[in-house]
Amino acid sequence: MRRGRRIAVDVGDARIGVASCDPDGVLATPVETVPGRDVPAAHRRLKAIVDEYEPLEVVVGLPRSLSGGEGPAAAKVRAFAHEMAKNITPVGVRLVDERMSTVTATQGLRASGVRSKKGRSVVDQAAAVVILQSALETERVSGQPPGESVEVVI
């Protein structure tokens, strides 16, 4: 397991959930929800978060269908991740499978008493936590970085 803090990003149309973990990669915690409608502003805020946290890498949740295919949402996230990679280089960006992360996050929040109307922005952070915990567990088990690397093309 590589040592270093990681940041996870759950990209949505309206909001972008952000989570971080400790340098040992043990526990993921929510950071904030970034407004997602103004994409350039979202990229600026995410760069500021990366500058502040100085992560080893950023993992971005890639929405796949249950069968594993990629649709329009995945294409949008891939484009977002490529732009982010350009903005935060030399920090690496990796795309990781995020199937069911929002469902898992919503169920967990509901179980802890958070209702959907109040918790929409919290759900995005919780989904980022789920994505990051999954990525950390994948690396811990396999010994390899999770997902696929986003290559920066200049």
Side-chain angles (χ1 to χ4, degrees):
M1 181 84 178
R2 299 168 299 153
R3 181 158 164 67
R5 183 182 305 268
R6 283 116 169 129
I7 294 208
V9 178
D10 178 41
V11 180
D13 288 329
R15 293 170 303 278
I16 300 165
V18 183
S20 177
C21 71
D22 60 286
D24 292 322
V26 175
L27 183 65
T29 55
V31 172
E32 73 178 74
T33 300
V34 175
R37 297 220 186 273
D38 181 347
V39 176
H43 279 297
R44 286 191 300 275
R45 180 62 194 135
L46 290 169
K47 178 166 181 10
I49 292 169
V50 168
D51 290 346
E52 177 184 346
Y53 281 78
E54 299 179 341
L56 173 69
E57 67 192 2
V58 174
V59 294
V60 177
L62 181 65
R64 294 182 184 268
S65 67
L66 291 178
S67 65
E70 292 186 19
K76 195 172 182 180
V77 168
R78 281 186 179 278
F80 188 94
H82 278 86
E83 185 63 28
M84 185 173 187
K86 283 193 272 183
N87 291 339
I88 66 169
T89 194
V91 176
V93 175
R94 302 190 71 79
L95 288 164
V96 297
D97 189 339
E98 68 138 327
R99 275 179 275 192
M100 307 299 287
S101 64
T102 301
V103 172
T104 303
T106 303
Q107 289 172 341
L109 288 169
R110 191 172 297 132
S112 65
V114 176
R115 294 289 161 241
S116 60
K117 278 231 190 264
K118 280 187 175 177
R120 283 196 183 120
S121 68
V122 179
V123 167
D124 299 300
Q125 292 176 38
V129 167
V130 170
I131 291 165
L132 185 51
Q133 282 292 167
S134 175
L136 292 169
E137 188 60 29
T138 297
E139 182 168 340
R140 201 172 289 110
V141 169
S142 71
Q144 299 295 316
E148 64 182 87
S149 179
V150 175
E151 301 303 321
V152 177
V153 180
I154 299 173

